[in-house]
Every structure is written in structure tokens, then in C-alpha cells.
Amino acid sequence: MRHQYLHAAVLAPNGQWLVQHRAESPVRVLAGPTAMVELAGEIQHRIRTTRNRTR
């Protein structure tokens, strides 16, 4: 969250994750831990491809 790749991520009592990419963006509901790990992978991929383009 420090680098603004994700604004917020909250674990709901039913095991779903509520995430927001930016403060003004809609809340996205992720089905569970697997979906959260997939989102983390997407963010890492975005970081790596952006970093390679700026070099």
C-alpha cells in the first residue's frame, strides 16, 4: 500500500477480501485467499513490467 499499488484490502468475516486500487475506485470483492494471491501476482507483474520499461 505504501507505493500506491493498492489503496485498501480488508478481510471480511466470511473469508472474502474487499480491495480497492485507489480511494475513488469501486470496491472489488475477491472470493478468498487464492484470489488475493492472484491479485498480488498481478500487481507484482505490473511492477516488474513498468520497471523494465523505465530503464
Side-chain angles (χ1 to χ4, degrees):
M1 289 189 229
R2 183 176 76 169
H3 298 286
Q4 299 178 353
Y5 299 118
L6 191 63
H7 175 71
V10 177
L11 178 61
N14 63 358
Q16 292 178 322
W17 283 89
L18 308 175
V19 297
Q20 255 184 319
H21 288 283
R22 291 180 302 280
E24 67 278 357
S25 66
V27 174
R28 192 170 149 191
V29 179
L30 302 179
T34 303
M36 191 62 176
V37 170
E38 289 172 358
L39 176 63
E42 291 172 17
I43 292 170
Q44 286 180 337
H45 178 72
R46 198 175 332 140
I47 292 167
R48 289 181 181 140
T49 56
T50 303
R51 189 181 305 152
N52 289 338
R53 276 190 235 141
T54 58
R55 288 184 180 179

